Amino acid sequence: MKNILKISFAVMFAFVSISALFISCNDDDDSTEPNTVTDYKTPKYIFYFIGDGLGSPQINVTEAALNDPNFKLSATKSVGIGELNLRQLTVTGMQTTHAEDRYITGSAASATALATGYKTTIGTISMNGTATSDLKTMAEMAKEKGMKVGIVSSVSIDHATPACFYAHTDSRNNYYSIGQDLVASGFDYFAGGGVRWNKYDGEGQAEDITLFTDAATTAGYTYVNTKTAFDALTSESGKIIATLEKFYTNTDDGCALPYVMDLDAQASENDKITLSDFTEKGIELLDNDDKGFFLMVEGGKIDWACHANDVVAAAHNTVEFDKALGLAIDFYNEHPDETIIVLTGDHECGGLTLGYAGTGYESAFEILRHQTMSYVEFEDIVDGWNPEVKTFEQALEDAKEAFGLGNETLNSALALSDYEKGLLEDAFNRSMSGESTHEPEEISVIYGYYDPFTVTITHILNNKAGIDWTSYSHTGVPVPVFALGQGMYEFNGYYDNTDIANKIIEIAKLNE
Ligand SMILES: [Zn+2]
């Protein structure tokens, strides 16, 4: 049997080799194996995944948490254990992220680099550093080539990262201008939490989203914000803008999708559409043209959770971002000759690290599973407390319920020391009275202007797991890059964030 197999393989190999002789100079051959550094086909399906705030530690800590079989997304979702889909991306590189005018970048400057191949200044959306000329984005190039274009984000679709693919303005806060560029872009699919049209630069105008949807409709878009309408979309539906329902007149939490771990707490099914749902629909809608498509998917709230030093919310959202990647990998497996997938972060956020002075060489990632809601949900609970009657003892019970903190019967590593209780009591008093024994300078280091009680809870829980943070802002460490498909070997090595855009533009011949 073995010999027959060997002979079969030998015959097949000979046939393939002879075939290869005849077609080796034909760019359209049927070979599915991508290639060497320079030998690849021009991909017509481009997937660009940007994890906002996704550095190496965010990836590491998510895999560490997933290694605990009881670390689940929610009652309605389950995930694989221990390894993220991004391990299937064959090629790995590393990028530097600095902005034109600041070493530690911001999302607008980094996304401009990732979308256009040019450095710019902090806060600038796809314009040069002095905001005197527009920088053409790879999404605009793809559109000009006749490709379908989709922009998906777990935050608002006019937030800095997605905006850098279709808008040009001197400030990321110019939501009116960004919204105008959005509806004028002609792109085929926008999906995310919501929009913040007029929120900042609209003079005396209502924040009501009808101002935006009217402009979008005039420009030929269909706007959907219910699950039924979203599910019913097909590749025949035309140009689409899809958001959650709750942002129709409401701008809570920056018009972002809820944290994945808070999905069950959403009142309406219309507000439970996830990043991977939006990505799956995007692939379905865009995959209807000979010229292919460009799809950018941003995992935007990994960054927000890291700003707040909530590692569990960040890990759940990283899993969701990675789940969206899994859909692109499935697509690649069906179209290996025509697809490239690139995944990176725009910068690290929070100075997250695996290792904490208080735990030395020890880690206890398994305690993270006991956190049941994000910092945002708990901050809402703290907001509802009456300082006149709420006691510290009651607050500790609430922390135990929501985070497992102090619950020794769940895990002895969750026991609170007197020192930790002191930190929590100080933070609780600060949350309730707004007063503290700390100086303002100290407050910015200790609480980072988040709710003091909530951020102290996540700090202590994270520290007990052997995790620590250095900042409530971004950091300047290099960020990993992953690639799979045609042209992927271009992403080997150590380079600048601007190089990523230039590589994609060159590989897919977007500028020709
Ligand atoms: Zn960012």
Side-chain angles (χ1 to χ4, degrees):
M1 185 64 191
K2 268 185 182 172
N3 284 338
I4 293 169
L5 272 178
K6 272 184 189 167
I7 291 164
S8 305
F9 279 127
V11 171
M12 277 169 60
F13 182 72
F15 177 73
V16 169
S17 304
I18 291 163
S19 307
L21 274 179
F22 286 100
I23 58 175
S24 60
C25 51
N26 181 349
D27 200 38
D28 296 315
D29 71 64
D30 292 329
S31 156
T32 56
E33 191 55 38
N35 43 59
T36 61
V37 175
T38 53
D39 176 25
Y40 53 81
K41 296 174 189 165
T42 305
K44 69 176 196 179
Y45 303 114
I46 304 165
F47 290 93
Y48 200 2
F49 285 84
I50 301 175
D52 206 311
L54 186 76
S56 304
Q58 281 75 12
I59 294 167
N60 276 44
V61 85
T62 302
E63 291 200 325
L66 286 176
N67 198 42
D68 171 4
N70 293 307
F71 188 91
K72 298 285 188 192
L73 275 174
S74 74
T76 54
K77 302 262 178 183
S78 65
V79 296
I81 303 302
E83 291 188 5
L84 291 167
N85 288 320
L86 57 79
R87 286 188 180 236
Q88 296 174 50
L89 305 185
T90 306
V91 171
T92 310
M94 191 76 93
Q95 55 141 321
T96 48
T97 66
H98 58 280
E100 186 176 302
D101 57 341
R102 198 174 74 191
Y103 189 79
I104 295 178
T105 195
S107 294
S110 58
T112 296
L114 292 172
T116 72
Y118 291 94
K119 292 283 188 200
T120 193
T121 45
I122 294 298
T124 306
I125 301 285
S126 287
M127 296 187 80
N128 65 348
T130 51
T132 47
S133 65
D134 293 355
L135 301 170
K136 187 180 266 191
T137 79
M138 65 173 70
E140 291 167 334
M141 295 174 194
K143 192 67 204 163
E144 280 181 16
K145 282 196 73 169
M147 299 168 80
K148 293 285 171 73
V149 175
I151 302 291
V152 175
S153 177
S154 59
V155 295
S156 67
I157 54 178
D158 51 8
H159 205 256
T161 307
C164 283
F165 285 84
Y166 60 80
H168 308 274
T169 180
D170 62 357
S171 169
R172 58 181 290 172
N173 291 328
N174 294 342
Y175 287 108
Y176 179 70
S177 165
I178 291 169
Q180 286 182 310
D181 284 355
L182 190 158
V183 298
S185 69
F187 292 1
D188 301 274
Y189 179 66
F190 288 97
V195 290
R196 293 189 283 179
W197 178 269
N198 288 352
K199 185 163 169 58
Y200 292 90
D201 60 351
E203 188 78 10
Q205 298 183 63
E207 290 179 11
D208 193 307
I209 200 174
T210 49
L211 291 169
F212 171 76
T213 51
D214 287 350
T217 305
T218 305
Y221 285 93
T222 301
Y223 173 70
V224 299
N225 69 343
T226 65
K227 184 138 191 353
T228 308
F230 175 73
D231 287 343
L233 294 172
T234 71
S235 58
E236 308 299 311
S237 298
K239 293 180 190 299
I240 297 297
I241 298 172
T243 74
L244 300 188
E245 182 183 35
K246 67 178 177 180
F247 298 123
Y248 195 68
T249 55
N250 183 335
T251 55
D252 272 354
D253 198 23
C255 279
L257 304 189
Y259 281 105
V260 174
M261 65 186 305
D262 299 332
L263 270 186
D264 291 344
Q266 304 307 305
S268 165
E269 288 300 309
N270 295 331
D271 297 327
K272 295 183 181 179
I273 305 172
T274 64
L275 184 67
S276 55
D277 293 336
F278 280 135
T279 304
E280 186 171 28
K281 184 59 82 177
I283 295 169
E284 182 190 338
L285 299 192
L286 298 174
D287 183 23
N288 67 348
D289 199 296
D290 285 352
K291 291 186 173 160
F293 62 75
F294 170 90
L295 178 60
M296 192 288 292
V297 178
E298 186 207 15
K301 285 187 99 171
I302 300 165
D303 179 72
W304 296 16
C306 290
H307 277 289
N309 292 180
D310 180 348
V311 84
V312 177
H316 282 297
N317 270 51
T318 301
V319 170
E320 178 62 26
F321 177 63
D322 185 73
K323 189 176 168 190
L325 168 68
L327 299 167
I329 294 174
D330 290 345
F331 185 93
Y332 163 81
N333 286 330
E334 288 169 22
H335 309 274
D337 280 0
E338 301 170 302
T339 306
I340 182 160
I341 303 172
V342 177
L343 182 148
T344 190
D346 58 347
H347 48 71
E348 198 277 335
C349 183
L352 175 64
T353 196
L354 288 80
Y356 167 61
T359 50
Y361 290 106
E362 300 305 317
S363 306
F365 302 121
E366 69 278 7
I367 66 169
L368 298 174
R369 79 169 87 132
H370 300 299
Q371 181 176 335
T372 59
M373 62 181 73
S374 76
Y375 73 97
V376 168
E377 288 288 316
F378 196 75
E379 279 182 346
D380 279 351
I381 292 172
V382 175
D383 264 356
W385 290 346
N386 180 351
E388 303 292 316
V389 297
K390 189 74 179 180
T391 66
F392 175 56
E393 285 67 30
Q394 290 168 341
L396 270 188
E397 281 304 307
D398 291 319
K400 186 190 283 184
E401 181 74 24
F403 296 84
L405 203 56
N407 193 335
E408 294 169 57
T409 55
L410 285 176
N411 190 315
S412 59
L414 288 163
L416 283 171
S417 68
D418 288 343
Y419 168 66
E420 290 163 339
K421 279 183 187 164
L423 295 176
L424 285 164
E425 187 161 16
D426 199 14
F428 171 77
N429 291 336
R430 170 81 185 171
S431 288
M432 291 298 98
S433 69
E435 290 174 13
S436 164
T437 54
H438 299 295
E439 296 300 315
E441 185 182 347
E442 250 184 313
I443 297 293
S444 70
V445 173
I446 297 173
Y447 305 131
Y449 301 103
Y450 286 89
D451 169 60
F453 190 58
T454 308
V455 79
T456 303
I457 290 169
T458 59
H459 278 164
I460 293 175
L461 181 72
N462 293 184
N463 287 167
K464 285 181 176 304
I467 292 162
D468 205 8
W469 304 86
T470 67
S471 180
Y472 301 97
S473 303
H474 305 158
T475 69
V477 297
V479 170
V481 184
F482 303 86
L484 176 68
Q486 299 300 323
M488 65 182 174
Y489 291 108
E490 295 278 353
F491 293 91
N492 258 328
Y494 187 43
Y495 38 82
D496 190 54
N497 58 3
T498 51
D499 294 327
I500 300 173
N502 290 326
K503 287 172 193 291
I504 293 173
I505 291 166
E506 185 189 317
I507 290 165
K509 298 192 168 83
L510 292 178
N511 212 10
E512 292 176 16

